[in-house]
Amino acid sequence: MAALFCYIYFIVLTVIGFYLVYKPFGVISAPFDKSLKMRCTGTELLLIFIFATGLIGLMPVLSIRLAVLEVLCIIGIYKTRNKPVYSFPIILFFIFILWEIWGLSYTPSLEFGVRMILKYIYPLLLALFASSIVRDKEIILKSVLSARWVAAFTIFIWFVPIFLPLFAGVFWNRAALATHYITMSMISLALFLYSNKKTKNLIFFVIFSLPCFIWVFRTDIMGLVVALSAFSLIKYRLKAVPIVILLGVLSVAALFYIPSIKAKMYINPDAVSLNDFLTGNVDENNINTSGRGPMWEDCRNWFYEGHELIGSGTGRVQKYMYTEATGFRKGGQIHNDFLVLMCDNGIIGLSLYLLSVAGIFVHCIYIYHRKRYSTVLRMCVLVAGSSLLGVVVTMYSDNTLSYSMATLSYPWGLYGMALGLKQKEDYEIQ
């Protein structure tokens, strides 16, 4: 029954998406005042719709839904009268994609290689679509506020278990949601600083920051701390160093003074002290990787060693997990996207990916401190840069790439929105 509902939702969402991309225009309520209406093009409505529904994964048709969203972004780019904005980090990511495509020439599985590339390109397509669409700050605000309300609804669903059966397979799993909440936390923090509704946005920030601690998701706790540090660095630059140090100290303290986190961090928590951690005397065999350690070591030995520069081919790790692995590993994930990049495409592939991310972060700092730009644009890059770093960090020990519809696409989409609005404001200044 749950699968049937997912199929129905998929059909409805797909029909709405294609209806909007070909719709001339529509009228919706303004971001902060429901009594006011604003006229939007169909593609603007589609962008808002994509942001609002990114958490609807629909597990039985997840891959097809991702492909549909990519097609909608491509059609949207083609239909809009504005061209996408190609910043230097975007160009770097295009080079990364070309490297991934070249990796198909030596992969043992073209099918899994193509599937991996499709996962990489969705955030890029959304960013390009957003950069070609957004020329008004209201579209940005409407998109993020719509996404935040849906995210808040998913928290309600997960923490009121009686409703979970009604939405089985509809929303992403908790791991993807917790990573998504990093972006929602940064949106709420930015609105706390720049809007008049301080209390409301502070409450939202707390609400979205708590799940990773309640669920004891170490990866997302780390991602949230990095996002907060990046938020401070974008806003205050070198003046943020004390804040970053404080966040680091609090993170280390949490590993030892929050029992649930320490119990999940170490196999034998009582055998590890704060002094052991500070002096580097922690037994690596006592670190709890939830069974991932041996799998990481095997993949590294089989697919990276001896192929350090170029890896073993795009999709090689996925082919192993789905067709060659046995036992509990078969059909699963290795929970480390950085290692997947290294094994598939070598140090060159990983470096190109991280350089494009670093480029976006630096570009966001540059835009934020140009006072000539509007508050909404500066707020947008503040959220995009900080949440991107926080989400990318989770790739170290999770399948963030596989969850890109709910995770990586949001910071990239916000960056694309910022590029579009920046182009308009640059034109007006000239």
Side-chain angles (χ1 to χ4, degrees):
M1 184 62 70
L4 176 61
F5 278 117
C6 286
Y7 289 124
I8 293 173
Y9 292 145
F10 170 72
I11 293 171
V12 171
L13 291 176
T14 301
V15 170
I16 292 174
F18 278 98
Y19 170 73
L20 292 177
V21 79
Y22 288 106
K23 183 181 176 68
F25 69 90
V27 178
I28 57 175
S29 59
F32 292 116
D33 189 344
K34 303 298 182 183
S35 65
L36 297 177
K37 303 297 180 180
M38 61 182 191
R39 179 184 170 118
C40 302
T41 65
T43 47
E44 288 174 334
L45 292 173
L46 176 64
L47 180 62
I48 295 169
F49 179 72
I50 289 176
F51 253 67
T53 59
L55 286 189
I56 302 177
L58 305 177
M59 299 309 160
V61 288
L62 186 57
S63 298
I64 302 175
R65 173 155 161 72
L66 179 64
V68 168
L69 288 174
E70 291 177 341
V71 170
L72 285 172
C73 286
I74 293 171
I75 296 174
I77 292 170
Y78 173 77
K79 281 186 63 62
T80 184
R81 61 183 180 182
N82 301 312
K83 294 182 179 179
V85 181
Y86 297 97
S87 65
F88 179 69
I90 294 287
I91 294 172
L92 270 180
F93 200 80
F94 266 109
I95 296 173
F96 164 75
I97 294 297
L98 289 175
W99 182 258
E100 292 290 305
I101 293 173
W102 187 72
L104 296 177
S105 66
Y106 55 93
T107 184
S109 175
L110 192 64
E111 174 192 353
F112 285 106
V114 171
R115 287 170 62 176
M116 286 301 296
I117 292 174
L118 289 177
K119 293 178 182 179
Y120 286 121
I121 66 172
Y122 177 60
L124 173 64
L125 287 175
L126 184 57
L128 292 175
F129 176 46
S131 71
S132 66
I133 294 299
V134 174
R135 294 298 181 272
D136 298 297
K137 61 184 180 181
E138 288 79 12
I139 301 301
I140 296 176
L141 295 171
K142 188 68 177 181
S143 297
V144 299
L145 291 175
S146 300
R148 192 173 70 170
W149 277 116
V150 174
F153 180 71
T154 62
I155 289 182
F156 174 76
I157 294 300
W158 275 101
F159 286 96
V160 184
I162 191 174
F163 292 107
L164 276 176
L166 299 175
F167 298 94
V170 174
F171 295 109
W172 286 89
N173 57 36
R174 290 192 306 172
L177 290 177
T179 304
H180 175 83
Y181 296 154
I182 293 172
T183 303
M184 295 300 109
S185 295
M186 296 304 102
I187 288 172
S188 301
L189 186 57
L191 288 171
F192 167 75
L193 293 176
Y194 290 103
S195 75
N196 296 324
K197 298 181 179 180
K198 304 292 185 184
T199 303
K200 175 183 176 180
N201 289 299
L202 182 60
I203 291 173
F204 268 119
F205 170 74
V206 173
I207 288 174
F208 288 120
S209 299
L210 284 177
C212 62
F213 292 96
I214 296 173
W215 293 332
V216 198
F217 287 172
R218 296 166 292 174
T219 300
D220 297 299
I221 293 172
M222 176 176 63
L224 179 62
V225 171
V226 170
L228 287 169
S229 300
F231 190 99
S232 302
L233 286 170
I234 293 174
K235 184 168 178 58
Y236 302 112
R237 290 184 288 195
L238 291 179
K239 294 179 182 178
V241 171
I243 299 175
V244 174
I245 294 173
L246 176 61
L247 288 170
V249 170
L250 291 174
S251 301
V252 173
L255 292 178
F256 293 92
Y257 297 110
I258 298 180
S260 59
I261 296 178
K262 187 177 182 182
K264 196 168 183 179
M265 189 71 191
Y266 302 103
I267 298 172
N268 183 7
D270 296 332
V272 185
S273 67
L274 178 59
N275 186 61
D276 293 330
F277 181 85
L278 295 175
T279 57
N281 292 322
V282 177
D283 181 6
E284 291 186 7
N285 294 322
N286 192 28
I287 299 175
N288 183 10
T289 63
S290 301
R292 298 168 187 174
M295 189 161 49
W296 290 350
E297 189 64 27
D298 286 345
C299 287
R300 184 182 179 90
N301 291 336
W302 297 339
F303 310 126
Y304 176 70
E305 301 293 343
H307 312 275
E308 287 85 356
L309 279 180
I310 65 172
S312 296
T314 307
R316 182 65 185 93
V317 173
Q318 286 280 287
K319 175 177 170 55
Y320 163 71
M321 296 303 297
Y322 282 90
T323 66
E324 300 169 356
T326 58
F328 74 95
R329 298 181 181 182
K330 187 172 181 63
Q333 302 275 358
I334 70 170
H335 299 278
N336 189 331
D337 290 331
F338 290 152
L339 184 58
V340 170
L341 265 169
M342 290 171 59
C343 292
D344 283 2
N345 305 103
I347 288 295
I348 294 176
L350 179 62
S351 298
L352 286 171
Y353 187 89
L354 294 179
L355 280 173
S356 63
V357 171
I360 291 176
F361 182 68
V362 173
H363 195 200
C364 287
I365 294 177
Y366 171 78
I367 294 173
Y368 182 82
H369 288 279
R370 298 297 296 273
K371 301 298 183 182
R372 68 180 188 175
Y373 294 127
S374 67
T375 300
V376 171
L377 173 54
R378 295 171 66 234
M379 184 180 71
C380 189
V381 295
L382 181 60
V383 175
S386 59
S387 60
L388 180 61
L389 254 61
V391 171
V392 165
V393 162
T394 67
M395 293 174 66
Y396 171 73
S397 56
D398 210 343
N399 311 311
T400 307
L401 180 61
S402 295
Y403 310 148
S404 64
M405 189 194 305
T407 56
L408 290 162
S409 65
Y410 279 81
W412 276 85
L414 285 164
Y415 178 62
M417 290 181 184
L419 291 178
L421 187 58
K422 175 180 177 296
Q423 186 180 74
K424 178 193 176 185
E425 293 187 4
D426 283 339
Y427 177 77
E428 290 176 342
I429 292 170
Q430 292 174 358

